[in-house]
């Protein structure tokens, strides 16, 4: 594509985002919170500089050096939302960055690196891992009963279906142990669309959303539980933009917190076994800053385990450091994702807790990969895994 033919992306934003773009005062408060700037030491990657970059774009005749600068600036971002959390002008930076990426993709400038394979694989096999669509349910234990129709549905997501099957299995066993009748989409489950939305590749999003929503409607669900923070965020925030969602969307941490508050564990599973362990908790960006309120639920669940002690990292909840996997960075710039993850692992180690718990399969993957690289002495557990084990589920 010739540089002179590229449109001015900033001029095509919604009125709300254009107003937010203009509201940036370039105060620099966001800079110290940006994980990309922290790791790469390049202020050109900071939120304020990216907004300045957009402001100076001419209406036409863009130069090639600008294109390369824009690609690097916008695709080095994990879209973690840390800048939005501290922004005095209340700019919704995750939405802004994703709309900019969408504009870049439409004009042939993005996506970045291995992110380019997402669309092809999801188009052909309905998942970003190139997994066999007919093997999506291979993780399901034979002794778990799945209803054809139920009020409760379980959306497993691509990562647990193909890469972390152990956790999908534990979740299904846990629901059955607690007497929760549930249904699955099984091999009919398609990618939620998060990898495409986060990288600006929105071409088939409506088809993905409609398929999944209609499949759950056929099964009569009133509430769908999500084990993946990314799938949950996508279904809660993005799906309704493309298609009506007639059921409640809830993350597994919220669901488990509800059960704790209703003494459900004591009723259906005697009680959670004591665990003399000190843990710290990592807040996934898609559960925290992107949603804005899922900080208490996982802590409610952890505090329900007798004798377990939760200690907080210095940066937690709204100011939690990103694990580094989000926004397509894990696929597009894996070395950067690894550096960010190691920084987060150091945060955990500094608490003195021997165990790090989180509630996102993508965070889990990136943190575990980095742990192997850094060779730190730290256990990393999924919250659902921890609860299942305390109920004797293996």
């Amino acid at each position: 594509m010739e540089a002179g033919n590229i449109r001015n992306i900033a001029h095509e934003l919604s009125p709300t985002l254009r107003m937010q773009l203009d509201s940036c005062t370039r105060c620099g408060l966001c800079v110290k919170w940006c994980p990309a700037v922290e790791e790469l030491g390049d202020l050109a990657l900071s939120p304020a500089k990216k907004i300045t970059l957009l402001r100076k774009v001419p209406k036409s005749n863009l130069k090639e050096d600008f294109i390369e600068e824009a690609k690097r600036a916008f695709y080095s971002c994990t879209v973690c939302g840390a800048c939005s959390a501290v922004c005095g002008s209340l700019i919704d930076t995750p939405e802004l960055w994703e709309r900019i990426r969408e504009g870049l993709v439409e004009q042939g400038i993005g996506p970045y690196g291995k992110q380019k394979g997402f669309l092809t694989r999801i188009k052909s096999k309905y998942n970003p891992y190139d997994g066999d669509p007919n093997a999506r349910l291979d993780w399901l234990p034979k002794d778990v009963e799945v209803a054809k129709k139920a009020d409760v549905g379980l959306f497993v997501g691509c990562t647990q279906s193909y890469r972390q099957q152990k956790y999908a299995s534990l979740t299904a066993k846990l629901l059955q142990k607690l007497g929760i009748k549930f249904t699955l989409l099984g091999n009919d489950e398609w990618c939620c669309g998060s990898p495409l939305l986060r990288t600006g590749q929105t071409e088939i999003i409506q088809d993905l959303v409609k398929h999944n929503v209609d499949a759950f409607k056929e099964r009569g669900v009133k509430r769908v539980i999500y084990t993946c923070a990314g799938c949950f965020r996508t279904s809660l925030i993005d799906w309704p933009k493309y298609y009506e969602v007639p059921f409640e969307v809830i993350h597994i941490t919220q669901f488990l917190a509800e059960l704790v508050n209703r003494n459900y564990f004591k009723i259906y599973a005697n009680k959670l076994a004591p665990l003399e362990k000190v843990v710290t908790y990592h807040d996934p960006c898609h559960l925290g800053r992107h949603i804005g309120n899922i900080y208490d639920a996982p802590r409610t669940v952890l505090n329900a385990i007798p004798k377990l002690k939760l200690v907080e990292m210095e940066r937690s909840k709204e100011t939690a450091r990103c694990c580094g996997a989000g926004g397509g960075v894990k696929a597009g710039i894996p070395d950067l994702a690894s550096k960010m993850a190691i920084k987060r692992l150091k945060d955990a180690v500094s608490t003195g807790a021997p165990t790090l718990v989180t509630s996102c399969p993508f965070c889990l993957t990136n943190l575990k990969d980095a742990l192997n690289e850094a060779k730190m002495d730290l256990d990393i557990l999924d919250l659902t895994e921890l609860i299942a084990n305390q109920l004797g589920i293996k």
Side-chain angles (χ1 to χ4, degrees), residues 167 170-171 174 227 252 256 358 382-389:
Y167 303 107
L170 285 173
T171 301
L174 175 61
T227 56
I252 188 68
L256 292 174
T358 191
D382 178 80
L383 179 59
T384 305
E385 172 189 20
L386 183 59
I387 293 299
N389 289 344

Side-chain angles (χ1 to χ4, degrees), residues 96-223:
L96 177 60
W97 306 148
E98 289 177 5
R99 295 292 71 75
I100 294 298
R101 286 180 176 186
E102 186 177 353
L104 292 173
V105 170
E106 287 175 356
Q107 299 178 72
I109 302 173
Y112 199 87
K114 291 185 178 180
Q115 298 170 2
K116 297 176 182 178
F118 289 162
L119 183 59
T120 300
R121 292 192 291 272
I122 293 174
K123 270 185 173 181
S124 63
K125 295 188 177 179
Y126 312 117
N127 70 84
Y129 297 112
D130 204 33
D132 181 355
N134 295 318
R136 194 174 189 112
L137 204 57
D138 284 1
W139 57 267
L140 184 67
K142 293 181 180 180
D143 58 348
V144 171
E145 181 178 350
V146 177
K148 291 183 178 180
K149 289 191 174 185
D151 288 346
V152 175
L154 175 62
F155 192 93
V156 180
C158 301
T159 300
Q160 288 197 350
S161 293
Y162 293 104
R163 292 291 187 270
Q164 295 182 4
Q165 296 176 320
K166 165 188 172 182
Y167 303 107
S169 175
L170 285 173
T171 301
K173 289 179 179 180
L174 175 61
L175 292 178
Q176 179 163 282
K177 173 98 174 183
L178 294 171
I180 308 296
K181 181 182 177 182
F182 68 97
T183 188
L184 291 167
L185 298 187
N187 293 337
D188 289 333
E189 184 181 288
W190 288 5
C191 178
C192 70
S194 181
L196 300 178
L197 284 162
R198 307 292 82 85
T199 57
Q201 304 176 79
T202 59
E203 176 186 333
I204 62 169
I205 295 299
Q206 187 160 7
D207 293 338
L208 298 176
V209 175
K210 185 177 185 302
H211 171 85
N212 285 322
V213 170
D214 286 347
F216 272 127
K217 285 167 64 177
E218 290 176 3
R219 289 161 174 78
V221 302
K222 297 178 181 177
R223 168 183 257 198

Side-chain angles (χ1 to χ4, degrees), residues 32-57:
K32 74 173 185 177
W33 300 99
C34 176
V37 173
E38 183 177 30
E39 291 304 331
L40 300 178
D42 187 350
L43 290 178
L45 305 179
S46 72
K49 289 292 185 181
K50 284 189 286 191
I51 289 176
T52 300
L53 181 66
L54 291 171
R55 282 174 166 174
K56 72 179 184 182
V57 182

Side-chain angles (χ1 to χ4, degrees), residues 353-385:
T355 302
L356 172 64
V357 180
T358 191
S359 304
C360 170
F362 218 43
C363 290
L364 200 69
T365 295
N366 201 42
L367 291 169
K368 284 192 171 185
D369 287 349
L371 186 68
N372 290 333
E373 180 181 339
K375 303 187 185 308
M376 294 182 185
D377 187 14
L378 187 70
D379 288 331
I380 303 177
L381 299 175
D382 178 80
L383 179 59
T384 305
E385 172 189 20

Side-chain angles (χ1 to χ4, degrees), residues 241-266:
K241 299 175 184 176
Y242 293 88
Y243 197 60
E244 181 182 0
V245 179
F247 45 77
E248 180 188 2
V249 171
I250 184 170
H251 189 258
I252 188 68
T253 57
Q254 295 174 296
F255 184 73
L256 292 174
E258 283 184 3
L259 301 187
V260 168
N261 291 332
R262 291 164 50 193
N263 291 320
Y264 212 88
F265 290 105
K266 294 180 180 179

Side-chain angles (χ1 to χ4, degrees), residues 39 321-323 335-349 366-367 369-371 373-376:
E39 291 304 331
R321 198 189 305 272
C322 177
C323 80
D335 289 347
L336 178 58
S338 179
K339 289 178 181 178
M340 292 181 184
I342 290 173
K343 187 85 72 176
R344 191 53 171 164
L345 293 174
K346 290 179 179 178
D347 289 343
V349 170
N366 201 42
L367 291 169
D369 287 349
L371 186 68
E373 180 181 339
K375 303 187 185 308
M376 294 182 185

Side-chain angles (χ1 to χ4, degrees), residues 278-281 303 308-313 348 351-355:
V278 179
V279 305
T280 190
Y281 179 76
N303 287 326
L308 181 141
K309 181 181 179 182
L310 171 64
V311 294
E312 297 286 2
M313 286 181 266
T351 67
T355 302

